[in-house]
Structures are given as structure tokens and as C-alpha cells.
Amino acid sequence: MSTAILTGQPVPGSSIEGDLRSLGFDVRVASDAADAETLLAQVPGDQRVAIVDARFVGHPHALRLGLTDPRFPLAAISGAVTAQPAGRQALTRAMARESSAGGGTTVAVDSLADRIVTALDAENAGVHHPELGSLVAAVPTDPQARNEARQAVADVDDEAVRLKSAVKSRDGFFTTHFISPYSRYIARWCARRGLTPNQVTTASLLTALIAAGSAATGTRAGFIAAGVLLIASFVLDCVDGQIARYSLQYSTLGAWLDATFDRAKEYAYYAGLALGAARGGDDVWALALGAMILQTCRHVVDFSFNEANHDATANTSPTAALSDKLDSVGWTVWIRRMIVLPIGERWAMIAILTAATTPRITFYALLIGCAFAATYTTAGRVLRSLTRKAKRTDRAAQALADLADSGPLAEVIARFLPGPSRPTAPLSAAAGALLVTVGAWAWGPSWWVVLMAGGYIMASAEAIERPLKGALDWLIPPFFRAAEYCTVLLLAAKSDVNGALPAAFGLVAAVAYHHYDTVYRIRGNAGASPAWLVRAIGGHEGRTLLVTVLAAALTASQFTVALTALAVAVALLVLVESIRFWVSSGAPAVHDEGEPA
């Protein structure tokens, strides 16, 4: 149980004790600062503790935002400060200093909680100060101020603000106008009945898997049911985050489930569409795999660019200024959000086309839409990178190196390459990617492609030889992803045997999961996947070389079996390690912002 320590002069008729208990706090009253320090020391170190001024006047949701958000070790609003176990030591030090400075006397005028926050801010302890908007949080020092604060509380509907804040402030057009107006009420209904975000996330996954199964029937009724269920799954996908924001039920496991299940749902649905098409005599596995590759590469572009500029200094450009100007005009904001085909628009398009047309048409539309969105976003980011004068940090360079997913072959060769850092690193990565993919397209399964893969390894080593701090070095991970995934697709397609493309789909899905998992770890400031895992699955260049060798050395049917075995092996390794990490107590807290695409 959490503990709240009330300090300062009690106010008759105040609701603060009841409000704190409704939020799950055990309330204790301190007679003075020294007593508060004693009570603080009595609270077990593994529990949340809050210091609250007894004169506090404000909305219950303001207290909820300030004192119960599990994502922040230290947080504060006017008149209240809280610490989780990770921030307990800093709070104890600040309390000791303020108690000593106050001489152990009752704090009658100034607020002990606010003085503690000032001390914590002075030592850069990382106190989170939530945005309260129209919510009230104040410590009135006289009756007139108290009456004014109480009137301000009465003038604002606490529940309406809470419900509105459950919806993400920045979302796509379809989600904002066709889902959120009613999904927030579903979220409140679920929260009031004790349903957790993780339970709704799991329900969303199961609904999407049922949708994929419906699509796999290959019947018109199945396709219609699949479209309806996919939209229902997306509604639940919105609801889980809204529950988390409504009731502040954030968790490390929940953030991981929400992120990974989004990808699992979409790619499982692609597989369901491909199976359904096959039942009707139309083989669209190459299109399904191409859609997954394109979507994954789009995400890698997003992740790499953001990490490269996460903490860059002098990070300005005319292109960014123009983008900000366009975002100041209402209609351009929605147009720009829609043309990048975020998850809401994309799933709505897939659902409608599934119900009304065929899997082939659905994949054609998806590929065209995603290709246009990828071209638009990548071109804009390239222009930003070329026109800004940013100095990138070692952290950004390390994040890009982790996203590159280079294995032992590239790393060993890179150690022996001479010379200083060169600005041609992205060109080397692009040239190597082009070499192996064009080779796979031109020759198919052959030893010539193995030779091309060798050239790809050399180019990859040259690309990562030095820290990735160049203006366009964020393009290197996407080039590597495209090279590996497209090589697998082309060799499976060229083998011209039943089962090769589904096996390739499974392999790319397993590897893509590993790459997404790396991104989520970096976002949580937990580093990348462990080095032993990257070496065990070969790195991007090792897997590419292995696939080309298998394609050249084996018959088409044997190659299919080998791809299947490789997919299973990679999936087992990355899933076991990922699950172990994310359910462990050492996994980082990830803020619930959701995926834009």
C-alpha cells in the first residue's frame, strides 16, 4: 500500500484525506517537519510515499496525475510530492535538509512539500511535473484564497477533463474522428469494472487473430467478417491505451505488449489474407511478404531518424521550419497525417478492401499506399538531415549501431579496414544492399548470389567502420533491413516451389520481431539486445549469407525446409530472450505514446 504524509496546518472540512484514501493511500498526519521525517523513515523502502500539504485544494484527478503515475520515480504538483522506491533516497535527503532548516517546527506559512520539490529540482533529481491544464492544484494561505480555489475547482468538471485526457493529443484522422469519440467511453466502462489495459490488449490480439482466421477461409462471408473484426480489434487497440491514461495503469509489460501485438496483429492478418487467396487459387504470398517488408522498413526509417536526432544539438533546418509552419494550418495537419498512412487509416483501408474486393487488390492498394507514404516521409527526413547543422552525440551513434544489427562477420572485417571515417558510409550500405538484391533478382538461387552476398558483407563492414554520426547515417539500418528481407523474398520466389514463400514470410517475421524488440529496448534506455543473441542469430549480414548459401547448395524443396527450420530457430531464440527481459523486474518503464504507424 502507498502512504501519504499530511503536513502543515489542518483545515476543517477539507476533503484531502478522503481524496488520498480514494487513490489508495494510507494517510498519516505529521505534527511538524521533524515528525514528517520520522514518519517517512517508517514507510518501507519498497512502497510509494507522498508528502502532501494539508491545506491542498484541487481536483482529485490532479492528485491522481501528480501522485499515482507509475512511470516516474519522482513527481510533484503544487502542495504534493511523491517518490517511488527508485526516487526514495533523493526524497529522504531533501526531507532531512528541509527538516533541519525548519528547526523541526510546524510549517505554518510555506509548504514543506513545495520546499522539498524546490530542493529536488535544485539537485536535478528528475522530478516530473505533470501538465494539469484546467485542473486546479493549489495551497491557499488565507480564507479568501481558499474560497477562490474551491470555486475554481467547482467551475471545472474533473471527470470530463480526465476522460478527454484519456485520448492521445496527436493521432491520425480516422482514429480521432471515427474511433476516439466513443472508444473513450468504452475505456471508462472497462476501467470502472476493473479491466486492465493488458487484458484489453490481449483481447485486441485475439480479435485480430480471429479476423486473420476468417480471412483465411477464402470465402466472401469470411472476408466481410475479417474486415469487421479487424476494425473491432483496432477499437480495442485504442481502448487499451485510453484505459492506461484514464486510470494511469501504465506498466512495462503493458507497453511491450501493446507495441509488439500491433505488429503481430497486422502481419498475422497479412498471412490470413494470403491463405484465403490461396484457397481461391490465387498465390499472393509474395505480395504479403512484400507488404510486411515495406511496412517494417518504414518503421526502421522512423526509428533510425528519431534516434539519430534524439539529443542532437543545433538541430534546426529550413525544412523543419516549413513543416512546423504547415502544422499551424488546420487542414494541412490532417492531410499530412493521412498521407503517411498511419495505423488507423491503414487498417481501415485494409478492412474495407478485404470486405469489398480481393486479397490481391488489398495488397496492391497497401503496397502503393505504403510506398507513397515511405517516399514522402523519407524524402522529408533526408532534406532535414542535409539542411540542418546538427552535432550528433555518442548515444545517437550507439543507437544507430545497435539498430544496424551487425553480426560477427561485419564487425571483424571492420576492425581491419584502414583509414579515417568517411562520409560515404550510407552509400556503401546502399551499394551493398543493391548488389545482393539485384543479384538475387537476376540469378535466383546460385553461387553468383553467394558472391554478391560476400560483397554485401564487405560494404556493410565499411559502412559501420566508424561511429555513425554523419548527416545521413540514419539510413544505414533501413538499407540493411531492405537488403536482408528482400534477398529472402527474391530467393524464395525464384525457387518456384510451393511453401517457399510462406517459409520466407515466417523467417522475415521472426527477424523483424528481433529488430522491433531492439527498438523498444533502446526507447526504454535499456540498450539493445544482448551481444550473444545478435551473434547467435548471425547479424543481418550473416543471415543474408546463410540464406544465399542454402539457396545455392540445396534443391528447391530442401531450401524450403531449411528456411522453415531457420525461421523456427530464430523465433525461439529471440522470443525467449525478449520475454525473459520484458517480464523481468529490471526492464525499463516505457511511456505510453503508442505507435504513429
Side-chain angles (χ1 to χ4, degrees), residues 56-406:
F56 177 88
V57 174
H59 289 98
H61 192 51
L63 281 173
R64 182 180 291 106
L65 290 172
L67 302 182
T68 68
D69 196 322
R71 298 173 295 174
F72 307 103
L74 291 164
I77 56 175
S78 179
V81 60
T82 185
Q84 295 197 79
R88 182 67 173 275
Q89 188 174 7
L91 178 67
T92 301
R93 288 197 306 268
M95 169 68 86
R97 287 196 300 270
E98 294 307 313
S99 176
S100 175
T105 60
T106 301
V107 181
V109 179
D110 60 344
S111 169
L112 175 61
D114 289 343
R115 285 164 47 202
I116 290 173
V117 173
T118 300
L120 290 170
D121 285 337
E123 66 178 48
N124 296 317
V127 180
H128 171 65
H129 297 272
E131 293 286 341
L132 298 181
S134 58
L135 296 176
V136 176
V139 181
T141 56
D142 58 68
Q144 180 179 349
R146 174 169 294 278
N147 289 335
E148 292 174 353
R150 285 175 172 170
Q151 184 59 49
V153 170
D155 290 342
V156 176
D157 187 338
D158 178 87
E159 178 60 22
V161 173
R162 183 184 179 189
L163 193 60
K164 182 179 179 180
S165 64
V167 178
K168 283 195 295 187
S169 58
R170 180 181 175 86
D171 224 330
F173 180 85
F174 178 78
T175 305
T176 299
H177 295 284
F178 293 93
I179 303 296
S180 295
Y182 59 87
S183 64
R184 68 184 72 184
Y185 296 102
I186 300 175
R188 180 171 67 180
W189 184 90
C190 292
R192 289 179 173 178
R193 283 153 183 80
L195 294 176
T196 68
N198 291 355
Q199 290 171 335
V200 177
T201 300
T202 303
S204 176
L205 174 66
L206 293 175
T207 304
L209 293 179
I210 296 172
S214 299
T217 63
T219 64
R220 177 52 51 195
F223 288 147
I224 293 173
V228 173
L229 288 169
L230 187 64
I231 293 297
S233 174
F234 181 65
V235 171
L236 292 174
D237 183 55
C238 295
V239 168
D240 63 4
Q242 290 166 359
I243 294 175
R245 286 182 286 273
Y246 180 82
S247 55
L248 300 186
Q249 294 185 64
Y250 300 109
S251 69
T252 300
L253 179 62
W256 172 67
L257 290 176
D258 187 51
T260 55
F261 281 8
D262 277 353
R263 305 286 78 81
K265 288 180 286 190
E266 186 167 2
Y267 299 155
Y269 192 83
Y270 293 175
L273 278 178
L275 288 170
R279 286 180 178 273
D282 189 13
D283 187 354
V284 297
W285 274 106
L287 297 177
L289 180 50
M292 182 167 67
I293 290 172
L294 181 55
Q295 189 57 33
T296 303
C297 289
R298 278 188 64 197
H299 283 138
V300 175
V301 168
D302 293 340
F303 300 145
S304 295
F305 179 80
N306 291 336
E307 287 302 324
N309 297 283
H310 175 74
D311 50 3
T313 57
N315 203 2
T316 59
S317 77
T319 307
L322 175 61
S323 178
D324 292 340
K325 186 176 181 180
L326 290 174
D327 278 344
S328 65
V329 182
W331 65 271
T332 63
V333 173
W334 292 118
I335 293 295
R336 281 154 55 82
R337 290 187 191 179
M338 290 172 67
I339 63 177
V340 300
L341 209 62
I343 188 170
E345 277 75 358
R346 191 169 68 251
W347 282 27
M349 181 186 73
I350 294 171
I352 293 171
L353 290 176
T354 298
T357 64
T358 65
R360 181 171 290 273
I361 292 175
T362 301
F363 281 124
Y364 280 151
L366 182 61
L367 286 166
I368 293 170
C370 287
F372 177 81
T375 301
Y376 170 78
T377 55
T378 304
R381 286 165 178 171
V382 168
L383 286 174
R384 289 189 185 202
S385 299
L386 292 175
T387 56
R388 68 177 27 145
K389 303 296 182 182
K391 183 178 180 181
R392 292 184 172 86
T393 63
D394 291 337
R395 178 201 177 280
Q398 183 59 52
L400 291 180
D402 292 334
L403 290 172
D405 191 37
S406 298

Side-chain angles (χ1 to χ4, degrees), residues 3 8 15 102 127-128 262 285 334 391 411 444 493 497 556 566 575 580:
T3 299
S15 64
V127 180
H128 171 65
D262 277 353
W285 274 106
W334 292 118
K391 183 178 180 181
E411 290 178 348
V497 63
L566 184 59
L575 281 172
R580 181 209 63 78

Side-chain angles (χ1 to χ4, degrees), residues 312-569:
T313 57
N315 203 2
T316 59
S317 77
T319 307
L322 175 61
S323 178
D324 292 340
K325 186 176 181 180
L326 290 174
D327 278 344
S328 65
V329 182
W331 65 271
T332 63
V333 173
W334 292 118
I335 293 295
R336 281 154 55 82
R337 290 187 191 179
M338 290 172 67
I339 63 177
V340 300
L341 209 62
I343 188 170
E345 277 75 358
R346 191 169 68 251
W347 282 27
M349 181 186 73
I350 294 171
I352 293 171
L353 290 176
T354 298
T357 64
T358 65
R360 181 171 290 273
I361 292 175
T362 301
F363 281 124
Y364 280 151
L366 182 61
L367 286 166
I368 293 170
C370 287
F372 177 81
T375 301
Y376 170 78
T377 55
T378 304
R381 286 165 178 171
V382 168
L383 286 174
R384 289 189 185 202
S385 299
L386 292 175
T387 56
R388 68 177 27 145
K389 303 296 182 182
K391 183 178 180 181
R392 292 184 172 86
T393 63
D394 291 337
R395 178 201 177 280
Q398 183 59 52
L400 291 180
D402 292 334
L403 290 172
D405 191 37
S406 298
L409 291 177
E411 290 178 348
V412 169
I413 295 172
R415 293 194 189 104
F416 293 96
L417 291 178
S421 178
R422 290 179 286 275
T424 58
L427 292 178
S428 296
L434 191 63
L435 182 68
V436 70
T437 52
V438 169
W441 174 76
W443 287 295
S446 73
W447 291 105
W448 284 110
V449 182
V450 176
L451 182 62
M452 299 300 102
Y456 169 64
I457 293 172
M458 296 298 295
S460 301
E462 197 280 334
I464 64 164
E465 177 190 1
R466 293 291 185 270
L468 303 181
K469 294 185 177 181
L472 296 177
D473 283 358
W474 57 270
L475 286 169
I476 292 175
F479 284 146
F480 289 165
R481 296 297 81 76
E484 179 183 0
Y485 298 163
C486 289
T487 299
V488 174
L489 166 60
L490 290 167
L491 292 178
K494 291 282 186 175
S495 67
D496 197 24
V497 63
N498 288 335
L501 280 168
F505 189 97
L507 176 58
V508 171
V511 175
Y513 177 87
H514 163 62
H515 292 143
Y516 280 114
D517 189 60
T518 299
V519 167
Y520 302 139
R521 294 188 192 219
I522 293 173
R523 279 182 160 184
N525 295 316
S529 300
W532 71 261
L533 177 63
V534 176
R535 295 190 182 100
I537 59 177
H540 69 92
E541 80 287 357
R543 291 187 299 270
T544 303
L545 177 63
L546 177 60
V547 170
T548 61
V549 170
L550 292 174
L554 302 176
T555 65
S557 59
Q558 290 172 336
F559 178 56
T560 299
V561 174
L563 280 182
T564 303
L566 184 59
V568 171

